Amino acid sequence: MSQDEWHASACILCELNCGIKVQTGGAEGREIVRIRGDEDHPASQGYLCQKASGLNHYQNGKDRITSPLRRRTDGSFEKIDWNTATREIMERFAAIRDAHGGDKIFYYGGGGQGNHLPGAYSSATRSVLGSVYRSSALAQEKTGEFWVNGQMFGTMVKGDFHHCDVAFFLGKNPWHSHGIPRARAFLKDFSKDPTKTMIVVDPVVTETAKMADIHLRVKPGTDAWLFAAMIAMLVQSERYAQAWVTENTTGLADIIHVFSSLPVAEYCAYAGLTVAEVERTVEVIANAKGMAMFEDLGIQMNHHSTLISYLEKLVWVLCGHFGKEGAQYVPAYLQNIAGSGRSSRKSPVVQAPIISGMVPCNVIADEILTDHPDRYRAMLVESANPVHSLADSNRMREALRALELVVVIDIAMTETARFADYVLPASTQFEKWEATFFNFEFPENYFHLRKPLFAPLGDSLSEAEIHCRLLEASGDMPMALVEELRTILQQAGRPGFQERFMAAMGEDAMVAKLAPVILYRTLGEALPEDAAEGAVLWPLALNFALRDSESLARAGYTGDAFKQADQLFDAIIAGHSGVTFSKDNLETVWGRLGHEGRIQLAIPTLLDELKVLEAGPLDRTNTEFPFALSAGERRDYTANTIYRDFSWRRKDPDGSLRMSPDDAAVIGVSTGDQARITTAIGSALARVEVTDRMLPGHVSIPNGFGLDNEDGTRSGIAPNELTSLDDRDKFAGTPHHKFVPAKIEAIA
Ligand SMILES: Nc1nc2c(c(=O)[nH]1)N[C@H]1C(S)=C(S)[C@@H](COP(=O)(O)OP(=O)(O)OC[C@H]3O[C@@H](n4cnc5c(=O)[nH]c(N)nc54)[C@H](O)[C@@H]3O)O[C@H]1N2
Ligand SMILES: Nc1nc2c(c(=O)[nH]1)N[C@H]1C(S)=C(S)[C@@H](COP(=O)(O)OP(=O)(O)OC[C@H]3O[C@@H](n4cnc5c(=O)[nH]c(N)nc54)[C@H](O)[C@@H]3O)O[C@H]1N2
Ligand code: SF4
Ligand SMILES: [Mo]
């Protein structure tokens, strides 16, 4: 690669995956030396936040592994070759499957903020092993919302921030965490526009809250009372969109029944807010042309999270903010990462609800640490670091130790990989073709398949290649079919290939399950620029064409669904800055609504749950743990655990403990002092930052800190050394990480 050339790729630090243009060079030409925004990227259009400038810290980061590793009996690792690794791993997984059933092999991960192709390819390996239980980080944040969406809308919904006149951020700080394209530029423009209103509900005076027209500084953990009061205000003074609600929803009578006598003033007081400020907010929402809502971790990892997800949606549905400009919409997607939101299965040991196919993260350790006959006995972890990212790290380590086999696929020797029997080295997201399925824009949505910037380092491989080799080693890859398909593709091109491939899937259900790896080894090998990892997008393009042919046609892909799918697939492979694949309108949005086109207002279980609010929030003032610790705040220099090298941080290198001046005075600490944080399960030392961002009684530490590097360095606190598994939502099992009861003491 020439050094002056700019290559298109994407930032991999948050789900936005802004398009980047980079120059490579440096040592052996393997460094990212210059980065700028890619103007050709359909969503980010040249935008980047400051975090992207450090991407070389990911590409050439700490703790990289470049060879398959096997644990020795003394706990150290030895390098082994790929043949040995794939053969032994599949033999050991198969032995567990044959002795105890494939359902004892648990799968965790499948992708981070920038990579979702591992999840697509691993589905083949999981099918062969009969692994039916899985989870990912989504089951410690979003599953409550997915469940509510499923019941109300029969699909996922998103807020149309770029066309709304009222923007509502609930427990969300997009200035740091983004979540919408070009977030900072958006927030600046929006807050300056006198015709638009920004509402933020957050106990903290965040960067976003400072820009808001209305900042409801709710008491930590009391959003449920606030939203119940808002609905009561709408119902009791009949300020909801009566005609719209009658036409488009069912269940209004139940809502009126429950909220008509709810004591509004009392509930506002429980939330630490005045009736007047809540009234004003409700008025703005009721009068908005289109209001877009984003709820995030501030409530999703907090008390009553699933209930709040529901109440929040009732507020905007009652005001008619769905299926019109600037309101909520149902996005077009190639792969539905949110699943159906249905909860039809339970986890085998704890009997926890599995939502959208995912076991709640907070029960995984309990599913393992038991003598129950249905316990998980083996685990495959891919592109995730559950020891660091899930509640109660000690318990997760104990669980990993108890398993008969742990295999981790990662680019680095992580806190989780250290407990593996085998660690398989993945190439980084800049060393293989990669993509995410996190794009949900409207009215046009896009997809970005990124071309590698470098060859894989050492013996590392893409996940697509890893899963193929695992299945070839176990003899589960249908080699004869692969050979036949290769020949057909050469001789008859894609139409003949497609015909034979479809027929093969019809003849043998296993072929459909192995489709990703078969396509990788056949269609993938024939793709331009060695884009083999892109092969799995072909069936996804076809599914989309069959589902949403009109949307695809409006985006410029013509002909019958098969032709459309081929054009889209080729465009994705060729388009290095991302391509638009759908062009929706409001009719499309209504057409995608489930439940026969009517929004279901009543979720009986959650309406019943309102009873628990009657007693008001728990007062912790005089308990052993009087503080609400927000364990894992997004800040300037946090990016989950994607950067393992903390030298990228230009400020706040240890991740300070933020607290209010009042609390600091009582405890006797000032900025820069050390304090001890103690929770029910652990204790840690932190450097204090006194700031009037925080309310008295509320303290926070950042996420992503406290990684243990191979060279012995560590910076800041690993938040989950302090969080507990039991502290979780009643419905979705999601953790209360934003409200960890804690004690804070000065250190002399
Ligand atoms: N810089 C950066 N950006 C990121 C990430 C990162 O690590 N770093 N991670 C990405 C990921 S994986 C995710 S899921 C998103 C998360 O993005 P966010 O949800 O925006 O992130 P948080 O800072 O964890 O929490 C949001 C807000 O919740 C508030 N909060 C705390 N308690 C309460 C409460 O009781 N009620 C209310 N209403 N609010 C409360 C906090 O003050 C905080 O401002 O960010 C993504 N973007
Ligand atoms: N207390 C507390 N805990 C939290 C949070 C919080 O706010 N508070 N936030 C939670 C949230 S919202 C999330 S999303 C999770 C995130 O936590 P995780 O889901 O565990 O994911 P990441 O930290 O994003 O790290 C992903 C892993 O992928 C690896 N990786 C990077 N690129 C590749 C690749 O190309 N291939 C492979 N195979 N591996 C790769 C990285 O080395 C890293 O080990 O953390 C959660 N944990
Ligand atoms: S918003 Fe920032 S961190 Fe997120 S993808 Fe864009 S540049 Fe990267
Ligand atoms: Mo997340």
Side-chain angles (χ1 to χ4, degrees):
M1 276 186 181
S2 135
Q3 301 227 343
D4 314 321
E5 224 180 301
W6 289 96
H7 307 279
S9 186
C11 174
I12 54 143
L13 299 173
C14 85
E15 83 262 33
L16 263 296
N17 302 124
C18 299
I20 56 174
K21 282 273 175 79
V22 306
Q23 286 181 348
T24 57
E28 293 167 47
R30 291 195 64 92
E31 307 214 1
I32 299 175
V33 292
R34 293 187 69 189
I35 303 177
R36 61 173 170 87
D38 181 355
E39 303 77 17
D40 296 330
H41 188 274
S44 62
Q45 298 168 14
Y47 173 92
L48 291 182
C49 79
Q50 90 290 355
K51 294 188 291 295
S53 67
L55 281 169
N56 195 48
H57 288 274
Y58 165 79
Q59 173 57 29
N60 291 291
K62 286 190 173 181
D63 311 332
R64 184 75 194 272
I65 43 170
T66 54
S67 158
L69 300 173
R70 180 176 58 197
R71 171 185 296 280
R72 295 194 189 96
T73 39
D74 68 0
S76 63
F77 286 99
E78 62 188 329
K79 291 184 178 177
I80 53 173
D81 61 56
W82 274 106
N83 284 340
T84 310
T86 51
R87 185 176 34 81
E88 288 186 6
I89 287 170
M90 288 309 270
E91 274 170 13
R92 291 184 59 181
F93 272 134
I96 290 168
R97 174 195 60 197
D98 298 342
H100 306 286
D103 57 342
K104 310 304 180 306
I105 302 171
F106 190 73
Y107 177 79
Y108 188 83
Q113 300 292 300
N115 56 327
H116 287 145
L117 296 185
Y121 284 101
S122 62
S123 65
T125 308
R126 291 182 51 225
S127 292
V128 161
L129 295 175
S131 157
V132 293
Y133 295 109
R134 70 175 168 95
S135 195
S136 79
L138 289 170
Q140 44 90 65
E141 46 178 332
K142 303 279 174 269
T143 34
E145 184 173 29
F146 293 168
W147 186 61
V148 170
N149 279 340
Q151 292 177 86
M152 291 182 81
F153 311 102
T155 173
M156 85 167 103
V157 293
K158 286 286 213 184
D160 184 6
F161 284 88
H162 291 278
H163 304 93
C164 66
D165 65 336
V166 177
F168 195 144
F169 297 108
L170 168 59
K172 165 97 201 151
N173 182 10
W175 182 264
H176 283 319
S177 65
H178 285 75
I180 51 173
R182 307 171 56 81
R184 290 179 181 178
F186 165 82
L187 292 171
K188 280 188 198 152
D189 292 348
F190 198 91
S191 64
K192 279 190 212 130
D193 188 334
T195 67
K196 298 186 172 180
T197 309
M198 193 197 305
I199 304 170
V200 169
V201 175
D202 198 312
V204 177
V205 185
T206 62
E207 295 71 9
T208 310
K210 280 186 193 147
M211 302 172 94
D213 301 280
I214 300 177
H215 175 201
L216 297 181
R217 208 174 175 190
V218 65
K219 261 202 256 174
T222 65
D223 300 72
W225 286 270
L226 165 63
F227 279 86
M230 286 182 163
I231 299 166
M233 284 175 181
L234 287 167
V235 165
Q236 291 171 15
S237 55
E238 297 191 344
R239 265 181 293 182
Y240 61 95
Q242 298 181 40
W244 189 95
V245 167
T246 310
E247 197 185 339
N248 297 304
T249 74
T250 60
L252 178 64
D254 294 333
I255 302 304
I256 292 176
H257 174 73
V258 171
F259 289 93
S260 57
S261 57
L262 189 132
V264 168
E266 207 177 301
Y267 275 41
C268 291
Y270 283 145
L273 301 165
T274 66
V275 172
E277 59 188 334
V278 180
E279 282 270 7
R280 177 175 163 233
T281 311
V282 166
E283 204 58 39
V284 167
I285 299 170
N287 293 330
K289 289 203 222 77
M291 186 190 88
M293 167 65 91
F294 203 136
E295 59 151 78
D296 215 341
L297 303 187
I299 65 106
Q300 289 180 342
M301 290 186 169
N302 213 324
H303 289 275
H304 312 293
S305 59
T306 303
L307 177 61
I308 301 168
S309 285
Y310 172 51
L311 299 177
E312 166 262 287
K313 287 168 183 50
L314 274 181
V315 167
W316 54 256
V317 171
L318 286 171
C319 296
H321 296 310
F322 174 86
K324 64 180 182 184
E325 184 167 300
Q328 282 28 252
Y329 60 89
V330 185
Y333 55 81
L334 290 188
Q335 174 80 322
N336 178 4
I337 209 130
S340 64
R342 271 195 296 277
S343 167
S344 46
R345 284 192 296 158
K346 292 239 158 55
S347 70
V349 175
V350 178
Q351 295 292 305
I354 295 177
I355 299 173
S356 286
M358 288 173 279
V359 172
C361 293
N362 273 50
V363 309
I364 295 171
D366 291 341
E367 295 267 315
I368 296 167
L369 292 168
T370 162
D371 53 12
H372 193 290
D374 292 334
R375 68 185 180 275
Y376 311 139
R377 290 166 179 269
M379 200 156 156
L380 175 57
V381 180
E382 186 169 43
S383 193
N385 188 0
V387 164
H388 186 273
S389 58
L390 300 191
D392 198 343
S393 299
N394 258 331
R395 187 96 172 135
M396 183 55 65
R397 284 188 282 259
E398 207 185 314
L400 292 179
R401 269 189 230 109
L403 290 167
E404 290 163 35
L405 176 63
V406 178
V407 176
V408 171
I409 303 176
D410 203 296
I411 64 159
M413 183 49 82
T414 65
E415 291 63 27
T416 305
R418 285 184 196 121
F419 290 85
D421 298 289
Y422 295 87
V423 188
L424 298 180
S427 10
T428 69
Q429 297 173 53
F430 300 120
E431 297 169 353
K432 64 193 171 209
W433 291 79
E434 252 306 355
T436 71
F437 297 116
F438 273 147
N439 33 267
F440 301 113
E441 295 315 300
F442 177 84
E444 292 180 2
N445 201 5
Y446 66 94
F447 190 83
H448 187 189
L449 179 70
R450 290 118 49 185
K451 187 182 165 175
L453 303 171
F454 309 102
L457 185 65
D459 285 339
S460 70
L461 296 173
S462 75
E463 287 81 358
E465 182 67 32
I466 293 174
H467 288 289
C468 272
R469 291 195 186 190
L470 287 170
L471 294 168
E472 284 157 358
S474 63
D476 288 293
M477 186 74 111
M479 300 306 283
L481 178 64
V482 167
E483 274 312 321
E484 186 194 346
L485 284 167
R486 278 180 184 148
T487 312
I488 295 175
L489 189 59
Q490 269 168 11
Q491 291 169 356
R494 217 181 282 162
F497 174 85
Q498 177 173 309
E499 200 176 310
R500 178 65 191 106
F501 187 66
M502 303 283 248
M505 288 200 292
E507 288 156 18
D508 180 354
M510 206 54 202
V511 172
K513 292 183 175 161
L514 291 170
V517 287
I518 298 173
L519 290 171
Y520 172 80
R521 278 283 186 257
T522 55
L523 180 65
E525 288 173 357
L527 291 174
E529 302 186 87
D530 297 325
E533 288 95 342
V536 74
L537 298 170
W538 184 58
L540 296 182
L542 183 56
N543 281 337
F544 181 66
L546 294 169
R547 232 175 29 239
D548 258 324
S549 175
E550 287 177 20
S551 188
L552 196 46
R554 280 190 295 267
Y557 304 92
T558 50
D560 65 22
F562 292 98
K563 285 218 181 68
Q564 284 183 303
D566 268 331
Q567 285 172 51
L568 173 60
F569 176 63
D570 290 336
I572 288 173
I573 300 289
H576 297 164
S577 293
V579 297
T580 300
F581 71 88
S582 67
K583 204 166 186 169
D584 289 341
N585 52 40
L586 294 174
E587 212 180 307
T588 347
V589 168
W590 283 99
R592 290 193 191 122
L593 194 61
H595 307 308
E596 283 151 13
R598 288 178 87 86
I599 298 169
Q600 308 292 303
L601 296 180
I603 302 181
T605 354
L606 293 177
L607 288 175
D608 276 352
E609 180 67 7
L610 281 166
K611 291 196 193 85
V612 308
L613 301 185
E614 284 167 14
L618 270 180
D619 182 3
R620 289 176 201 274
T621 339
N622 294 315
T623 64
E624 188 189 354
F625 301 117
F627 283 90
L629 167 69
S630 200
E633 192 176 60
R634 271 68 187 162
R635 295 186 186 167
D636 273 314
Y637 287 96
T638 65
N640 288 355
T641 66
I642 303 165
Y643 286 138
R644 294 190 60 80
D645 171 0
F646 58 81
S647 69
W648 74 288
R649 295 189 179 117
R650 302 221 180 113
K651 50 184 180 190
D652 196 20
D654 312 316
S656 56
L657 170 71
R658 290 178 172 165
M659 68 168 72
S660 73
D662 291 3
D663 287 335
V666 172
I667 294 167
V669 287
S670 320
T671 296
D673 289 352
Q674 292 256 305
R676 176 172 296 284
I677 310 172
T678 309
T679 68
I681 70 144
S683 164
L685 290 182
R687 202 176 47 77
V688 170
E689 178 190 338
V690 180
T691 162
D692 49 20
R693 295 167 65 97
M694 305 304 291
L695 279 175
H698 195 207
V699 294
S700 78
I701 55 169
N703 74 312
F705 278 69
L707 298 178
D708 289 311
N709 294 125
E710 293 281 271
D711 60 11
T713 54
R714 170 184 251 236
S715 79
I717 300 172
N720 291 311
E721 305 290 349
L722 297 170
T723 60
S724 82
L725 291 166
D726 300 334
D727 213 358
R728 62 178 189 246
D729 185 68
K730 187 166 164 180
F731 301 97
T734 42
H736 297 158
H737 288 337
K738 304 294 154 177
F739 198 116
V740 181
K743 176 164 73 183
I744 312 292
E745 300 159 292
I747 298 287

